[in-house]
């Protein structure tokens, strides 16, 4: 398929009087137009903003998609969400420390090692309502974080009741849930969910 190169002005690395490299000109357009692998570029032609290599969408559709994405900021760039994560970073570190201690305590049958996990899970859950109030993305983030925290709280409760087998199962489940939650949090922050 042939795609016309956009007229974009001087291309980085081009010398005066030299013929412009059509592929470099297309790349200089910052990826605004999808190009299929193996597509060839016709020098000197122009590309309309809504066009694709497949010849599909109109300029109006491209403009409305850009307007919609511009109206929705990426949650990870939201100053209030960033502040929430910064303000709660120390609580998260204490939680991680308590989680490691609880894993050792459950393995050795030590009830006292689980007390900090219970307190740390509650401390990390406490600021979630503030995150929810920030935005719809904050609501998604808080909901995502809640599941593993409640599983870790259940592990602490089982450990404190000396039910170390149930505590181990809950810890193992919580670790898997936490990994899944972290992936989801990253996608929410990136604006992918």
């Amino acid at each position: 398929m042939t795609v016309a190169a956009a007229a974009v002005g001087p291309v980085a690395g081009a010398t005066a009087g030299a013929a412009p490299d059509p592929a470099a000109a297309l790349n200089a357009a910052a990826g605004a137009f999808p190009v299929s692998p193996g597509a060839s570029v016709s020098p000197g032609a122009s590309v309309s903003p809504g066009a694709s290599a497949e010849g599909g969408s109109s300029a109006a559709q491209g403009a409305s998609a850009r307007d919609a994405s511009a109206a929705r900021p990426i949650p990870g760039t939201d100053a209030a969400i960033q502040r929430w994560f910064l303000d709660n970073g120390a609580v998260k570190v204490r939680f991680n420390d308590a989680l490691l201690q609880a894993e050792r305590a459950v393995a050795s049958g030590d009830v006292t090692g689980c007390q900090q996990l219970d307190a740390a899970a509650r401390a990390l859950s406490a600021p979630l309502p503030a995150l929810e109030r920030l935005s719809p993305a904050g609501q998604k983030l808080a909901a995502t974080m809640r599941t593993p925290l409640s599983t870790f709280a259940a592990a602490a409760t089982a450990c404190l009741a000396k039910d170390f087998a149930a505590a181990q199962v809950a810890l193992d489940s919580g670790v898997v849930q936490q990994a899944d939650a972290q992936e989801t949090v990253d996608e929410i922050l990136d604006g992918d969910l």
Side-chain angles (χ1 to χ4, degrees):
M1 169 162 298
T2 301
V3 176
V8 294
V11 175
T15 57
D21 177 3
L26 190 58
N27 288 335
F33 313 109
V35 177
S36 300
S40 62
V41 179
S42 300
S46 64
V47 177
S48 63
S52 72
E54 309 307 319
S57 65
S58 71
Q61 289 171 331
S64 67
R66 283 189 301 277
D67 292 345
S69 65
R72 286 178 305 173
I74 297 171
T77 64
D78 181 321
I81 289 177
Q82 290 175 346
R83 173 61 45 204
W84 185 90
F85 277 99
L86 289 172
D87 289 348
N88 293 288
V91 175
K92 177 67 172 163
V93 169
R94 285 192 297 276
F95 172 81
N96 289 341
D97 291 345
L99 180 57
L100 289 173
Q101 183 179 356
E103 288 174 340
R104 291 182 189 125
V106 167
S108 66
D110 176 22
V111 172
T112 60
C114 295
Q115 292 169 339
Q116 286 186 6
L117 179 60
D118 184 50
R122 281 186 276 120
L124 196 53
S125 295
L128 290 178
L131 179 59
E132 287 176 316
R133 289 189 296 271
L134 296 178
S135 67
Q139 293 168 2
K140 290 180 191 175
L141 290 164
T144 299
M145 293 176 195
R146 239 184 219 103
T147 300
L149 287 174
S150 55
T151 302
F152 288 130
T157 300
C159 179
L160 293 170
K162 297 183 181 182
D163 186 350
F164 298 111
Q168 186 62 58
V169 168
L171 283 173
D172 292 344
S173 295
V175 167
V176 170
Q177 291 170 354
Q178 182 70 17
D180 291 343
Q182 186 58 55
E183 183 176 324
T184 302
V185 164
D186 291 343
E187 290 188 15
I188 293 168
L189 291 174
D190 289 344
D192 296 336
L193 290 179

